Amino acid sequence: MINLVVKDLKKNFGGLHVLKGVSFEINGPELIGLIGPNGAGKTTLTNVLDGAIKPNSGTVYLGGNRIDQLQPFEVARHGLGRTFQVTRSFRRMTVLENLMVPALALDQGLSRSEIDDKAMEVLEFLTVEHLRNEYAKSLSGGQQKLLELGRLLMLNPDVIILDEPFAGVHPKLMEIIYKYIERVNNDGTAIILISHQMDSIFSLCKRLLVLNYGDLIADGTPDVVKNDPTVIEAYLGSDDEED
Ligand SMILES: Nc1ncnc2c1ncn2[C@@H]1O[C@H](COP(=O)(O)OP(=O)(O)OP(=O)(O)O)[C@@H](O)[C@H]1O
Ligand SMILES: [Mg+2]
């Protein structure tokens, strides 16, 4: 059973308190929206959860194992993966090679040909088999996002954090990403979806976390969160603002 326990996470950059004691739990394959204004700390929280940066204090446990002091590749081995708001890929490698690298690096006991087969499965899942021999540097911004989503699947994660997967993506690819989220979640992976696109958040997520300049000000169903006066004041506004 998937169990992520985040307790009292604090992160400062110099005098800037970006996470001021964030606590929440995920139990099972939930699909959770993480929302909050620009600069609220969403990406910083993601960076702490995946091991890219260390918190000043607080703990993160995944499946009973403490992960807040681990490196990202160790966190990935424990079953947590993430995508980046600004995509990252091995630009001089092909799409297929990009998918294979993390699986080879983390050594999950699969043979080279099993990894190869799995990479093809992932490309089919994303309906982009035709891109397999393209260099990553030649992909569009949206295709880069798909590549990152594919890379996550190579590691069979229990929990994935998607940092703005829809931002700047062509509507056709957006549909693929939308389906990816639904299917991967149905297959048993917990997902934290960070997005400023409220339509997508409200239609996909059954639970929302609202981060407001370092404080988690709400954690509940979309209906409850939408009507929470603190959230309305801090973020959502009285009408349906979107960007
Ligand atoms: N490495 C860093 N050094 C100093 N300040 C940082 C660093 N990373 C983030 N910050 C600051 O922390 C705050 C939170 O940034 P963060 O990127 O986590 O917000 P966010 O909620 O992801 O915003 P957005 O919706 O714009 O992506 C911002 O004020 C940002 O400038
Ligand atoms: Mg961000």
Side-chain angles (χ1 to χ4, degrees):
M1 159 92 162
I2 295 166
N3 179 233
L4 179 75
V5 182
V6 177
K7 209 164 174 193
D8 206 18
L9 274 188
K10 293 185 180 149
K11 180 67 194 172
N12 310 329
F13 293 112
L16 187 66
H17 298 267
V18 177
L19 301 175
K20 298 176 184 165
V22 171
S23 302
F24 66 93
E25 278 192 36
I26 297 179
N27 290 297
E30 298 187 69
L31 176 37
I32 301 172
L34 173 59
I35 61 174
N38 293 115
K42 305 178 297 294
T43 297
T44 302
L45 178 59
T46 305
N47 288 337
V48 170
L49 294 179
D50 96 323
I53 61 176
K54 302 290 170 275
N56 292 89
S57 61
T59 55
V60 183
Y61 284 84
L62 179 58
N65 299 300
R66 189 165 172 183
I67 61 166
D68 54 85
Q69 298 300 317
L70 303 181
Q71 296 304 312
F73 74 93
E74 296 170 310
V75 173
R77 269 194 196 132
H78 278 90
L80 187 146
R82 60 88 64 92
T83 61
F84 292 89
Q85 191 165 357
V86 180
T87 54
R88 298 177 182 189
S89 59
F90 300 107
R91 293 173 55 77
R92 288 166 191 274
M93 288 186 186
T94 66
V95 165
L96 197 60
E97 287 164 348
N98 264 279
L99 290 178
M100 293 175 75
V101 163
L104 289 167
L106 288 192
D107 188 15
Q108 297 173 307
L110 296 178
S111 71
R112 175 75 194 238
S113 73
E114 283 169 329
I115 290 176
D116 203 40
D117 291 347
K118 190 159 178 188
M120 283 309 295
E121 259 173 46
V122 165
L123 289 175
E124 279 163 30
F125 182 93
L126 293 169
T127 65
V128 289
E129 306 95 294
H130 58 286
L131 295 178
R132 66 181 176 277
N133 293 322
E134 297 291 329
Y135 285 104
K137 65 181 176 186
S138 69
L139 301 180
S140 71
Q143 289 169 338
Q144 298 268 358
K145 296 238 174 210
L146 288 187
L147 178 55
E148 290 215 327
L149 293 169
R151 211 158 51 191
L152 284 180
L153 293 187
M154 294 298 294
L155 301 174
N156 296 323
D158 292 323
V159 180
I160 60 178
I161 308 173
L162 307 180
D163 197 354
E164 301 281 359
F166 303 120
V169 169
H170 186 274
K172 213 168 165 188
L173 292 186
M174 183 143 166
E175 215 173 285
I176 299 177
I177 296 174
Y178 213 86
K179 281 191 190 136
Y180 169 103
I181 291 171
E182 289 180 320
R183 281 182 58 188
V184 170
N185 180 240
N186 280 334
D187 287 348
T189 303
I191 299 180
I192 299 177
L193 171 62
I194 299 173
S195 180
H196 285 285
Q197 301 196 4
M198 288 304 139
D199 283 354
S200 311
I201 288 281
F202 281 111
S203 68
L204 282 165
C205 304
K206 296 191 179 63
R207 176 181 168 197
L208 298 186
L209 299 172
V210 186
L211 195 57
N212 188 47
Y213 302 111
D215 291 312
L216 203 59
I217 57 169
D219 177 356
T221 63
D223 270 351
V224 168
V225 167
K226 211 166 23 181
N227 295 309
D228 184 320
T230 321
V231 175
I232 292 169
E233 193 187 330
Y235 179 42
L236 289 174
S238 48
D239 48 15
D240 281 332
E241 271 183 49
E242 286 169 29
D243 52 60

